[in-house]
Structure formats: C-alpha cells, structure tokens
Amino acid sequence: MELESVSGVGEKTAAALAELDDPERALREGDVATLAQAPGISEGRAARIARAAVRDEHDDPGGWAATSRAREMYREALGLLQDRTVTDYAEKRLETIYPSVVPERIAAVRERARAAMEREPDEAVRDALSAVEPLADPSDVRVRDRCLATTDAERYAEAQAAIPEVTVEVVDDARQLAELGRSYATVVALDESFAGLDVDGDVRVQPDALENPADVVPERPLAFFTRNRDRIRAAVAVHRVADLDAPCDLDALESALDRLAEDGSVRGDDELDRLTVAVDDLDAAVSTAESAANDHLREAIEERDVTIEGTDLLSLVERGAGVDSLLSRELADEYDAAVGKARDRLIETLGLTDTEAVARRAFPDDPTYPVEHNEEAVSRLREELTAARDQRATRLKRALADDLAEMRGAAETLVENALELDVELAIARFAADFDCTMPEVGGVDGAGDDPGFAIEGGRSPLLDVAFEAVEPVDYRVDGVALLSGVNSGGKTSTLDLVALVTTLAHMGLPVPAEHARIGRVRELHYHAKTQGTLDAGAFEATLRDFGALVDGVDGSPGDARAGRVMVLVDELESITEPGAAATIVAGILEALAECDATGVFVSHLAGDIIEAADAELSVDGIQAEGLVDGELRVNRSPVKGTLARSTPELIVEKLADDAEGDFYGDLLGKFE
C-alpha cells in the first residue's frame, strides 16, 4: 500500500507514518493506537487517517453525516459504545466504525457486531482487560561490548539497518579484525573469507548473522519482552478468563517470562546467581578470610611460649631477620593452618568450584604477620569470575532470547486478540444495556430496499432519564411526513431516535429497538431547532441549503445503489414568521417527496402547512390522551395520518367537561 494513496495523507504525514514498523498493517486493520505513535500524529488525526483508509478500501465516498447535527448524532452514537470500553485502544479503535452507504462496509461491521452480541460481558474479563495495552517496541537498546565487522561497504549499510543496536566496523584485513578483537568483548565477522582465521579474543565468523539478529543481540527480544511483560501477562489472563483460543502454549510463555528479570537479564539460574554473588562479594570475602587467618595466628602466638637462645637471637639480628623468619622457624605449622583456614573460608563463602585453584593463590605460602592477601591473585580471581559470570549470562540470554523470539508473533497476537475483544465486548455491553437488535438495512445481507424506515419498540438512550423508564416508540415513515404533537410530547426525542437508529444501522451496529427496518441512506441531513428567528442573511443561507439539498437529490429517485437522502428537521418555522414558514415547509416537503427522499419535519404548524401545500402531505401525530392531575398523558408513538391535538385544546376540553355554561364548549368548537 502506498501511504500517500490514502485520502488525506500527504508527503509529511506519509513520512511520519513510515517511522512505524508496519504502517500498512496499521492502516489495513484500522489500528488507531499504532498510527497515533507516529511522530506528530494525534489520536484524532490517527482516527481520521484510519477511517480514510477504510473508506478507500471500500470505495466509500464519505460525507454520510451531511449536517452538524447529523455529525453530532454520530459522535453521540459512538460515545455510547466508547463509554463501555476498558482500554484506550478499544476506544480509539471504535473510531474506525462510521456510518456508510456502501453495503459491503456495513455488512463487514454487522458480521463482527453479530459475533460480539453472542459474547457475555463478564466483569472478570473486564477486570483482566484493565491491564492490557498495545505493545511497545523499545528503541533504546544499545550494546557496546560487541560489534559487527565486514570488508564490504554495501554489507556495512545492510548491517547497520538490520542490527542497529551494535556498532558496525569496516575492516580491510585480518590485522584490523584482530585489533577489533582486543577492543570489543565479541566481534562478529560477516565475511566468509575470515573463516578459519586464528586471532585473539572472541571473534566469530557468522555470514548469516543478519538473518539471525537475536543470536548477535539477544538483548533485542529480551528488551521487547521486558518492556511488554505486564501487558503480555494481562493478555494471557484475558485469554484464560474469556476462554479464548490462544496462539501458543500459555504456560510455556509465562514460564519464559518468569525467567526474565526487570532489567532484561535472566533470573532463576543458580549457577549465574552464584557467580554474580561471587563477583559482587569478592572483596568482602577476601577481607573476612584474611581476618579469620590473622585471628587464628594471633591466638596461636598468644598461647605459645617461644624461647630464643642468645646466640640464635644474635644470629637473627645479624641477618636482619624479622618476625617472618621467627614464624617460619617456630610457628610454621600454625601459619599453614591459618592460611588454610583463610583459603577454605574464601572458597566456601563464594561457593567457588572451577576457580578454586586461583582462589588458593590469594593467600601466599610464605609466612608473614599480619597475613595479607595477594592482590594480583585476587585480581586474577575477579577476572575469571567475571568472565565466567558474563559467559554464563550471555549463554542464558541467547537461550532465552531464542525461546522468546519464537514466541513474539504469538505474543503480539495474544495482545491484539485481547484488545479486539474489548472492542467486541463494548458492542456486547451496548447491545445488552439498551436491549438492542440487529436492524434490517436496505440492500445489505440480502434485505430489500424499501424506502423510509420502520421502528418498533424503539427507546432512545440519549434521554436524561434512566433507560428503563423510557417509553417505547413505534414509528414508520415511507416517504416524507409531518410530525405534529403537543409541547413536551416527545417530537424532538422521536426525531433523535430516528436519527440514532439510522446512524447506528449504517454503522453496521445493533439499534435500541425491538425491530427496525431502515432503507439505505446515502446522506443524513438533520437540522435541529433554531433558537429564535433568523435575520435576513441567515434566513437566506438556510433556504440556500435546502435548495442545494433538493437539487442534489433531484433526478435520482429510487436509486437503490446510491441510497436515498434522509432529511430530519425540527421546527423549521422558528427561522421566520409562522405564515411564511408554513408556505416554505410545504414547498420543501413537496420537492423532497418528488425526489423519493425520506423525510420527517417536526412542526407546530402542521395544519397550516397542509393547507399551503399543493399536493397531499402525510401528517403523523403524537397524541395527548388527556390531562391527569394537571399532568399531560401522551402516547409517545406517532399515530399515522392524524394531526395531533394541542395542549390548549385539551385544557379547554377539560374545562368544557367540568363547566355548566356554554363558554368553554363554544371555545372548544373553534378548534374544529
């Protein structure tokens, strides 16, 4: 995939995306979290890029939500799902689900949504998901004790790109390679021409080293798993709790992670632990052994009566001999015992085995008091212990790195599966919380494409009341209709419900209804109620918008391939004087009806609009059933072909029923 071929991705954005390990995969899978890791790419921008890539894949023209209120409805619908995610990844991933007119795109999301609705939104799974995050690829791994060497400039560039964690050197001959062997702990020669060369140091000839980077730099896979250990463990827990099929042996993966220390080293090896402790405690152990020898020798001297004849004393003085000579002559056995104790103490304290002979040379055989260690021998012991420790650590690192490198793909799949499960569980929780069902969408999954919509038992989760308290609504419109009703009767809520169900259906998601059929819509034009009368300029702009809308759909009636336009308008009469508004709304409805559009216009002027129309218009009413204790009782489901009675009419009717005179009865007659 050419990055710049994605709609909205220019040269700079493509360069930023190219910094990712696999931007094509991220675009193809809508991985918003990964895209947002590109330099200078915000999460919002990443979501837009991912949506653009999906649209390009499905040849989707976009622009489905054609007005600001329609776009708000999409954001509110999306928010209902995002509120039910656990991970940031799932919240961002849901941004790639958008309302579309393309049947293939709608069907693809519906397939996943159906599978999601089969899942049980288990709280134990939700808790396990809380620790799952997208994997991070550490970029700060740097190894300075080894290098790669080659005689070829092209090979040099290839090596730098393949294994950037180590230095790459260009050498001309064996002499320069030998010099590198003295400068680095390990040198890996990439040229087969060096095979059989005998040089000092750890110089290995590995022509295939670039194909096996973990062998050269075991720190690479170890750093990856160290950085992501908790995330992988969390993903393992999710698979177990949710009973997901795992791409690898989870016990083996956890066992390998248990061997990995927080600093990227290997733990759980007794021999490595022994050598590490020996190196760290060497000076203290030597000092303790030295003290033990001197304590033993001091006690021996204090307990021993030594008699020296005069001639012997003169002889010692003449020779310039000191206490060492006296020890050698009189306390040789005690000195040997003291040194033996020091050597045994040192070997026992550090648990030395292979280096026991070197350790014994740390205390000299020649008598001296106080007993002092041989610094050269101790330094030699330290070098051998350090070399043994490092060699052991390197072998263990390579072995663990080999094991983990083979599991990296499986670990990535584990985490991806867990994160994608969160997306599915968000859909499942949404469907369960709002008693959702999968709607019929025109032209999708073999459904017919009748115009309009039909909603049965629809309940809006956007109302400021508990969802359980929302009264269900049945509403069907086949073309364009006027929706009338009393104040606070639920006209705007019904319009919102239609918009929400239509939006969710075209996102490929379940809808909050017992049953719903939605003719496929290519554009949703939702115009919310305007607060106050518009000035002349704003009024003209509004009329221009409707003119463009009518012109845009004119000439394509019944175009099932492209879908129909849906127009939802809430009290358009508020933009100007009531008389003029009725005439304007009537004209717009007539034009939309001729274009085979779907439309619902909420209006208090339904009667005036019908009178102003030159063609027969459908009118539906949200009927008030009466006043009970001063409270309006309403049937929230619009009644087809019925103009709703107003609240004032109901009040007058109530007064007429209660009063004995004719005033209220005559007044009620004015409403007929």
Side-chain angles (χ1 to χ4, degrees):
M1 176 189 295
E2 289 290 336
L3 298 180
E4 291 188 46
S5 68
V6 177
S7 300
V9 175
E11 183 179 350
K12 290 184 178 179
T13 302
L17 294 175
E19 296 289 326
L20 301 173
D21 282 344
D22 193 353
E24 291 83 2
R25 180 207 61 80
L27 288 168
R28 188 170 55 253
E29 298 178 4
D31 188 345
V32 178
T34 295
L35 295 175
Q37 294 176 10
I41 303 295
S42 66
E43 293 178 355
R45 173 69 173 147
R48 290 192 293 273
I49 292 171
R51 283 196 299 271
V54 173
R55 286 197 177 102
D56 289 348
E57 179 184 356
H58 292 281
D59 195 21
D60 189 334
W64 189 91
T67 62
S68 59
R69 182 55 183 153
R71 289 187 287 273
E72 286 176 8
M73 290 303 301
Y74 162 59
R75 297 307 308 182
E76 291 188 51
L78 185 64
L80 291 172
L81 282 93
Q82 290 179 318
D83 289 345
R84 285 157 179 78
T85 60
V86 178
T87 63
D88 290 340
Y89 170 89
E91 182 179 353
K92 300 182 186 76
R93 181 73 169 85
L94 284 168
E95 295 273 354
T96 63
I97 300 179
Y98 61 90
S100 172
V101 70
V102 180
E104 294 78 9
R105 171 58 184 170
I106 299 173
V109 180
R110 283 167 65 89
E111 181 180 359
R112 182 171 190 180
R114 283 196 184 95
M117 292 171 68
E118 296 295 323
R119 294 193 179 279
E120 186 68 30
D122 193 325
E123 283 302 313
V125 178
R126 186 180 178 88
D127 291 341
L129 280 167
S130 62
V132 183
E133 296 180 49
L135 297 176
D137 204 358
S139 58
D140 55 351
V141 179
R142 188 69 187 169
V143 180
R144 304 187 183 281
D145 67 345
R146 72 203 77 140
C147 77
L148 300 173
T150 180
T151 60
D152 184 82
E154 292 185 5
R155 188 75 161 158
Y156 169 83
E158 183 182 353
Q160 281 188 316
I163 309 181
E165 296 90 346
V166 301
T167 300
V168 184
E169 303 280 0
V170 175
V171 296
D172 295 328
D173 50 35
R175 180 184 60 80
Q176 291 183 349
L177 187 65
E179 290 177 357
L180 290 178
R182 289 189 289 272
S183 302
Y184 291 93
T186 301
V187 177
V188 178
L190 302 177
D191 305 321
E192 198 164 356
S193 58
F194 288 121
L197 186 67
D198 185 16
V199 296
D200 293 336
D202 184 10
V203 178
R204 294 180 285 154
V205 180
Q206 291 183 241
D208 63 344
L210 302 187
E211 287 73 46
N212 301 282
D215 187 51
V216 178
V217 189
E219 291 85 355
R220 178 190 290 184
L222 296 183
F224 172 82
F225 279 93
T226 300
R227 175 79 176 272
N228 296 295
R229 178 174 49 191
D230 292 343
R231 304 175 188 192
I232 296 170
R233 285 188 183 280
V236 169
V238 169
H239 278 69
R240 286 189 167 131
V241 174
D243 196 24
L244 297 179
D245 291 335
C248 65
D249 184 331
L250 299 182
D251 290 337
L253 176 59
E254 284 193 309
S255 176
L257 291 175
D258 287 340
R259 292 156 57 196
L260 187 61
E262 292 183 1
D263 62 355
S265 61
V266 179
R267 64 183 175 187
D269 182 78
D270 293 340
E271 178 63 11
L272 178 60
D273 292 344
R274 181 188 70 79
L275 291 169
T276 300
V277 170
V279 172
D280 294 342
D281 295 351
L282 177 59
D283 290 337
V286 168
S287 178
T288 300
E290 193 175 76
S291 297
N294 284 314
D295 289 344
H296 178 87
L297 197 56
R298 185 182 301 107
E299 291 174 3
I301 293 173
E302 289 174 351
E303 294 175 359
R304 186 76 172 267
D305 293 331
V306 178
T307 302
I308 302 177
E309 295 182 2
T311 54
D312 291 336
L313 179 61
L314 287 174
S315 175
L316 290 171
V317 171
E318 288 173 355
R319 294 201 304 270
V323 69
D324 294 347
S325 297
L326 181 61
L327 286 172
S328 179
R329 196 187 76 174
E330 299 291 335
L331 298 171
D333 292 340
E334 295 296 343
Y335 179 82
D336 289 343
V339 169
K341 179 177 288 188
R343 291 167 175 169
D344 292 342
R345 175 70 65 86
L346 177 61
I347 292 169
E348 180 182 352
T349 300
L350 299 181
L352 303 181
T353 54
D354 297 341
T355 54
E356 182 177 346
V358 179
R360 291 192 174 281
R361 291 197 292 272
F363 295 98
D365 293 326
D366 296 335
T368 182
Y369 185 82
V371 177
E372 294 181 350
H373 66 271
N374 184 327
E375 185 60 40
E376 183 178 348
V378 172
S379 296
R380 177 61 180 169
L381 177 59
R382 180 180 289 105
E383 290 175 2
E384 292 201 10
L385 287 173
T386 301
R389 179 201 63 187
D390 293 346
Q391 290 170 5
R392 179 80 178 179
T394 299
R395 285 196 301 271
L396 291 171
K397 278 185 177 182
R398 284 184 179 140
L400 181 56
D402 288 342
D403 292 344
L404 289 174
E406 293 179 358
M407 297 182 185
R408 174 160 179 168
E412 291 172 341
T413 301
L414 272 176
V415 173
E416 181 181 344
N417 289 348
L419 292 171
E420 290 295 329
L421 176 64
D422 191 22
V423 177
E424 294 184 8
L425 289 178
I427 297 173
R429 278 189 285 271
F430 167 78
D433 290 348
F434 302 122
D435 296 334
C436 292
T437 186
M438 288 301 295
E440 297 177 19
V441 181
V444 179
D445 292 343
D449 196 10
D450 295 331
F453 61 86
I455 300 172
E456 298 177 13
R459 290 189 292 166
S460 173
L462 302 177
L463 299 177
D464 292 331
V465 295
F467 184 72
E468 294 75 15
V470 177
E471 296 180 37
V473 171
D474 298 337
Y475 193 31
R476 174 180 57 82
V477 171
D478 297 326
V480 294
L482 278 166
L483 179 59
S484 61
V486 296
N487 288 331
S488 302
K491 299 185 299 297
T492 298
S493 298
T494 299
L495 213 59
D496 281 349
L497 175 64
V498 172
L500 178 64
V501 169
T502 301
T503 299
L504 287 167
H506 284 77
M507 293 170 73
L509 296 173
V511 300
E514 294 177 5
H515 179 267
R517 175 191 59 79
I518 307 294
R520 190 154 50 93
V521 172
R522 74 168 178 265
E523 290 178 6
L524 174 63
H525 294 257
Y526 188 0
H527 295 270
K529 185 189 304 183
T530 302
Q531 300 299 320
T533 302
L534 300 180
D535 60 31
F539 176 69
E540 179 182 348
T542 301
L543 287 184
R544 287 183 181 276
D545 289 342
F546 279 100
L549 169 59
V550 171
D551 290 341
V553 298
D554 195 16
S556 59
D559 186 353
R561 180 190 59 82
R564 297 173 177 83
V565 167
M566 177 180 283
V567 184
L568 305 176
V569 181
D570 194 2
E571 296 189 23
L572 186 60
E573 62 263 25
S574 63
I575 68 174
T576 187
E577 296 86 353
T583 301
I584 291 169
V585 172
I588 294 173
L589 284 170
E590 289 173 351
L592 290 174
E594 291 176 1
C595 298
D596 198 29
T598 298
V600 179
F601 278 57
V602 168
S603 178
H604 286 289
L605 305 177
D608 296 333
I609 294 170
I610 291 171
E611 290 181 6
D614 295 329
E616 184 176 347
L617 295 178
S618 174
V619 59
D620 305 326
I622 296 178
Q623 297 290 352
E625 297 177 342
L627 293 169
V628 179
D629 298 328
E631 295 292 330
L632 191 66
R633 178 174 293 173
V634 178
N635 175 11
R636 303 292 179 181
S637 296
V639 178
K640 301 299 297 180
T642 302
L643 183 64
R645 300 169 66 192
S646 66
T647 303
E649 181 180 358
L650 292 170
I651 295 173
V652 173
E653 182 181 60
K654 182 177 184 299
L655 292 172
D657 291 340
D658 295 340
E660 296 180 358
D662 296 331
F663 173 75
Y664 296 112
D666 293 341
L667 191 59
L668 181 61
K670 298 291 185 182
F671 286 94
E672 297 178 356

